[in-house]
Amino acid sequence: MKSLRIIYLLALLLVVLVGFVHQQPTSSQMTDQLATIFESGHVRVTIPHHGGYAANTFGKSILRIQRQKNDSTYQLKYKDAIDRRKLELIINQQEYDTLKSLFVKLIGIHNPAKKLSGNCLEIDHNFIIESSNQTLVIKPEKLLPEHNCVMNWLYSKELNN
């Protein structure tokens, strides 16, 4: 009788684990979804911030990318919630592809169990990437050096303009 209960308990645990594994998107599925979103030509990236007084108070930054009429340039608008900076510029196809590749890097360090955390010295962010019909959430692991690649790219664009 006791062994039968153990077998039922193990079977239930196996079913729960299999269901959990199937719910987590794989890296290749996320990369495919990212490619679909970037093909739409209208991308909105919401960047929730956490850590420090300013990040907790001001909240989310927004990055909008929209294809221009000639299909080879994109209008990029970024509004930083923390510094209240605004960035508007036109990027070419190569820069658009670079930005997309940075999000692919973030998918490589995605941690589905991550919750936003931060301290007064370091700000943590997640990325919610949306098109008109799809949404992808990327939660990069904060302790890895690549976790800030998109923000560094944006700030370098701001300095160059």
Side-chain angles (χ1 to χ4, degrees), residues 15-35:
V15 167
V16 169
L17 286 175
V18 167
F20 181 73
V21 168
H22 284 292
Q23 292 288 44
Q24 300 299 325
T26 65
S27 180
S28 63
Q29 288 173 332
M30 291 178 73
T31 304
D32 292 344
Q33 190 175 3
L34 179 72

Side-chain angles (χ1 to χ4, degrees), residues 26-150:
T26 65
S27 180
S28 63
Q29 288 173 332
M30 291 178 73
T31 304
D32 292 344
Q33 190 175 3
L34 179 72
T36 303
I37 290 171
F38 268 79
E39 285 173 6
S40 74
H42 300 285
V43 180
R44 177 185 173 170
V45 182
T46 305
I47 308 165
H49 296 294
H50 188 74
Y53 173 75
N56 294 338
T57 303
F58 299 124
K60 300 174 185 173
S61 293
I62 303 290
L63 171 65
R64 293 180 192 272
I65 309 160
Q66 184 171 352
R67 181 180 292 134
Q68 298 295 86
K69 292 180 182 177
N70 63 9
D71 284 346
S72 64
T73 60
Y74 298 84
Q75 181 181 29
L76 185 138
K77 291 182 180 182
Y78 176 65
K79 183 179 177 187
D80 193 312
I82 298 172
D83 297 336
R84 300 290 188 208
R85 293 185 289 196
K86 293 181 181 179
L87 174 64
E88 282 191 41
L89 60 115
I90 303 295
I91 59 173
N92 60 27
Q93 184 68 44
Q94 183 181 5
E95 292 170 312
Y96 187 74
D97 292 339
T98 300
L99 181 58
K100 180 180 165 186
S101 72
L102 293 176
F103 282 111
V104 171
K105 272 187 184 180
L106 292 178
I107 288 172
I109 60 171
H110 173 71
N111 177 0
K114 175 190 166 196
K115 296 191 180 357
L116 279 174
S117 64
N119 54 43
C120 59
L121 300 175
E122 189 173 347
I123 295 173
D124 189 14
H125 7 13
N126 289 337
F127 298 87
I128 304 166
I129 306 166
E130 301 171 286
S131 67
S132 58
N133 58 356
Q134 288 201 3
T135 300
L136 175 65
V137 177
I138 302 175
K139 301 175 179 180
E141 191 61 53
K142 181 174 114 176
L143 301 176
L144 298 175
E146 299 91 15
H147 92 280
N148 246 351
C149 63
V150 170

